[in-house]
Amino acid sequence: MQKLTVQGGVPLNGEVTVQTAKNAALPIIAACILTDEPIIIKKCPHLKDIDAMLNIMRHLGCSAEFEGDNLHVCCHDVSLNVINADLTGKLRSSIFILGSILSRCRRAYISHPGGCEIGLRPIDLHISGLKGLSVKIEDESGVICCDGTDMKSAVVNLDFASVGATENLMMAGALLDGETVIVNAAREPEIVDLAGFINAMGGKVSGAGGSIIRVTGVKKLHGCTYTPIPDRICAGTYLAAVAATGGCVSVKNIVPEHLFGITERLKKTGAKLYLKGGSVRICAVGRPKAIHKLETNVYPAFPTDMQPQFCAMLARANGSSVIVENLFENRFGYTTELVKMGANITVKDRIAVVAGVPKLHGAAVKACDLRGGAALVIAALSAEGKTEIYGTEHIDRGYENIERSFAALGGNIIRTEVE
Ligand code: UD1
């Protein structure tokens, strides 16, 4: 077990380069099953969630090895092994792999991914979407058994623009005869990236980034080399940290339009942002201003994956902020840890009222989910005194060496082993 120890109160300064996006790399790795030829994913981040997905791929008979930052995947032979709960339990988004296995093998067996710290995370949209492509699906003692023998392309209407369900359907349609149309598709940049990857393999996906995606099936896909997009949530985490601590930081390797939902809200805190090409510079002085109302929603609105980090920053704001969480029903768990650091936060259902305090103080706190863990790091960097953050395994699911990035910006943060 490890912990992060942070001596807070130091402004952040310098520059940081953003890793490639976990949420783009995960479905791209799953989509490697669509071809029997080798794939190279460049600059793939080294993360616990990526490892968990690679273990599923190996379990299915694919080879997957890192050479430096390049991930080499080859799914020449795919075995229809049941993906057991010990594998799906490590990665809630393991269900994203159903579409590509079905596309390639016409059958798939996967244990139910179960609940999650931030909400129930049902999979009904994935199931009904695949049923719309004539896949027969039964739940046998917790194992989702899919028979795609009669699979055919169709128009599938999603009741909600789910990111994972959209990605599953894109992969499911990639090798089918005819055109699969996804109506009310999610519009996140990671969806556009998956379309880019399928097309780089010789697929025909159009409309990604809009609400209607068309996937024209092809007979065969081929190998390719692909670099996923930069991680907009990591970029947002660095920006929120600087708004919390003060200082001036250039965040490099970004796509500015992917960040608008975040940068527009950051400007409301009084931070100054300067966008230039593939980087953004943020300068902040003193306590941030409160944000009257901050509401999460699907892209291009403010992302739910940035809600905890903003809450940590607003804990020290001048004034009160109201945060409304519209996507996940249980995403304020981390606030009890912020309260231990002196924050004044009241949560009722999906709404948090954050009454800014002049100072947070150090405490021993525990991360219980990925972005909640990032929020604790931000709070610790802006607090007075020493904070110990346990539960680092959650943070490592989505941030490559978070302590190294913040230490390079002048943050006083180290990782140590604990008994
Ligand atoms: C993806 C992201 C996650 C992000 C989320 C929302 C990955 C690996 N993960 O997760 O970081 O927080 O998008 O931007 O890309 N829902 C249903 N039924 C379903 C599927 C989803 O009710 O079958 C609900 C969920 O419970 C949630 C909402 O829809 O309330 C959004 O979920 P979804 O867009 O599917 O998120 P994920 O793809 O799981």
Side-chain angles (χ1 to χ4, degrees):
M1 199 169 79
Q2 298 176 328
K3 68 174 176 181
L4 293 170
T5 305
V6 184
Q7 285 285 347
V10 184
L12 297 173
N13 285 293
E15 63 179 51
V16 59
T17 301
V18 175
Q19 68 194 45
T20 49
K22 163 180 90 74
N23 287 354
L26 284 173
I28 285 173
I29 292 171
C32 292
I33 294 179
L34 295 171
T35 176
D36 58 4
E37 296 183 15
I39 301 277
I40 300 174
I41 301 170
K42 294 185 89 173
K43 297 188 184 161
C44 185
H46 294 259
L47 300 167
K48 279 213 151 59
D49 271 11
I50 299 287
D51 289 342
M53 184 58 99
L54 295 182
N55 283 337
I56 294 176
M57 301 289 287
R58 291 183 190 114
H59 179 74
L60 294 170
C62 307
S63 66
E65 296 306 329
F66 271 103
E67 262 180 35
D69 287 343
N70 291 346
L71 175 66
H72 294 249
V73 182
C74 187
C75 300
H76 189 269
D77 302 304
V78 177
S79 338
L80 267 177
N81 297 327
V82 178
I83 305 171
N84 295 316
D86 55 334
L87 290 166
T88 59
K90 298 237 164 48
L91 182 70
R92 304 297 169 192
S93 38
S94 47
I95 194 79
F96 290 20
I97 208 164
L98 260 187
S100 56
I101 306 177
L102 272 167
S103 192
R104 172 93 183 259
C105 311
R106 298 298 162 105
R107 283 186 185 273
Y109 307 95
I110 185 167
S111 290
H112 205 283
C116 175
E117 297 81 358
I118 63 172
L120 287 172
R121 292 195 125 167
I123 55 165
D124 53 315
L125 297 166
H126 299 253
I127 301 294
S128 62
L130 292 172
K131 282 184 174 170
L133 299 182
S134 303
V135 180
K136 295 187 194 79
I137 305 181
E138 305 275 343
D139 188 324
E140 287 177 16
S141 316
V143 177
I144 303 159
C145 302
C146 302
D147 175 355
T149 328
D150 300 325
M151 243 172 121
K152 50 178 182 290
S153 54
V155 178
V156 180
N157 194 351
L158 290 173
D159 287 343
F160 174 81
S162 154
V163 174
T166 302
E167 292 171 340
N168 243 332
L169 288 168
M170 287 163 73
M171 293 188 246
L175 295 170
L176 286 181
D177 277 344
E179 187 180 69
T180 297
V181 183
I182 309 165
V183 180
N184 195 25
R187 293 182 294 154
E188 272 67 4
E190 293 75 16
I191 304 271
V192 181
D193 211 29
L194 177 62
F197 177 65
I198 295 175
N199 290 342
M201 290 195 290
K204 285 190 184 152
V205 183
S206 62
S211 300
I212 298 182
I213 297 179
R214 294 173 190 277
V215 185
T216 305
V218 294
K219 288 265 173 290
K220 190 170 162 42
L221 293 168
H222 55 70
C224 70
T225 298
Y226 197 81
T227 308
I229 52 171
D231 195 314
R232 62 196 168 98
I233 304 302
C234 282
T237 302
Y238 298 132
L239 293 171
V242 180
T245 62
C248 252
V249 168
S250 292
V251 180
K252 297 187 151 183
N253 189 33
I254 60 146
V255 180
E257 55 270 30
H258 293 174
L259 287 176
F260 283 155
I262 299 166
T263 48
E264 290 308 300
R265 271 79 183 178
L266 273 172
K267 285 179 189 165
K268 296 185 178 180
T269 68
K272 298 275 179 273
L273 285 111
Y274 310 93
L275 283 167
K276 196 175 168 210
S279 76
V280 55
R281 184 163 175 79
I282 180 168
C283 292
V285 186
R287 289 172 70 190
K289 287 186 204 156
I291 300 179
H292 177 58
K293 191 175 182 193
L294 183 66
E295 203 162 344
T296 66
N297 221 321
V298 295
Y299 188 83
F302 181 70
T304 175
D305 286 354
M306 280 304 301
Q307 178 262 100
Q309 301 90 312
F310 262 60
C311 183
M313 181 256 296
L314 294 170
R316 273 191 60 251
N318 206 341
S320 290
S321 309
V322 175
I323 303 179
V324 183
E325 172 56 60
N326 284 314
L327 288 192
F328 292 103
E329 65 272 21
N330 189 20
R331 205 166 194 177
F332 285 121
Y334 66 91
T335 57
T336 53
E337 303 301 292
L338 292 182
V339 168
K340 290 180 190 164
M341 301 177 70
N344 181 350
I345 304 172
T346 317
V347 175
K348 188 157 193 315
D349 300 326
R350 289 171 180 243
I351 298 177
V353 178
V354 187
V357 294
K359 284 178 187 167
L360 296 176
H361 55 75
V365 291
K366 188 166 185 284
C368 293
D369 69 89
L370 165 56
R371 306 302 170 186
L376 299 181
V377 173
I378 290 176
L381 288 165
S382 72
E384 287 198 346
K386 183 171 94 173
T387 298
E388 289 173 319
I389 304 171
Y390 296 86
T392 52
E393 66 278 9
H394 293 288
I395 301 171
D396 298 338
R397 284 185 39 221
Y399 296 89
E400 249 182 344
N401 264 312
I402 197 166
E403 69 280 11
R404 196 174 62 192
S405 307
F406 281 121
L409 297 176
N412 196 336
I413 174 169
I414 55 162
R415 182 188 293 255
T416 49
E417 293 291 334
V418 284
E419 288 300 309

